[in-house]
Amino acid sequence: QDGYKEVLQNINHFLIPCLEDEFSIWSALELYSTIHQQIKPTSAAFEDCHLFFNKIPRMNIIPHLLKQLTPHFNFLPAHLYEYKHYERKYRSTLFPIPRAKKPGVRLFDFAQQFHTIIQPAVIA
């Protein structure tokens, strides 16, 4: 267990994904709290910890959840949608998703948002 804690103490930014369901949210919040209580106080490298929603269906309650959770936890406003089409058609990691299809994934928006958050740390 000490080996894991030592590894975690050398991480700058934590990204914790969670699904829209209650169990996933509670699990992610538990990990978030553990990181803030046990890793942050003893880590010289820790900068921040963010939660985000992943595999979100088109019909969702994410705005409602973010309104409730964001005042208490550090959630990224961007989330990643669930796309069964991409899972079936673009499984290969050798060939990227075609540029024309990328906006649907919203991965670029998510990556830009995270890059903006960590950019000051990268420059410093």
Side-chain angles (χ1 to χ4, degrees), residues 57-111:
R58 280 288 177 196
M59 299 299 289
N60 64 67
I61 58 169
I62 297 302
H64 173 70
L65 290 172
L66 286 174
K67 188 184 290 185
Q68 286 183 315
L69 296 169
T70 301
H72 309 286
F73 301 98
N74 199 4
F75 268 87
L76 291 176
H79 52 274
L80 301 174
Y81 283 112
E82 177 178 44
Y83 282 97
K84 296 292 182 192
H85 174 74
Y86 291 107
E87 288 179 18
R88 286 186 214 115
K89 191 166 183 179
Y90 305 114
R91 283 186 181 208
S92 172
T93 56
L94 297 175
F95 305 104
I97 296 172
R99 184 174 291 279
K101 301 287 185 184
K102 284 183 181 183
V105 180
R106 294 193 56 185
L107 185 58
F108 186 72
D109 296 338
F110 178 84

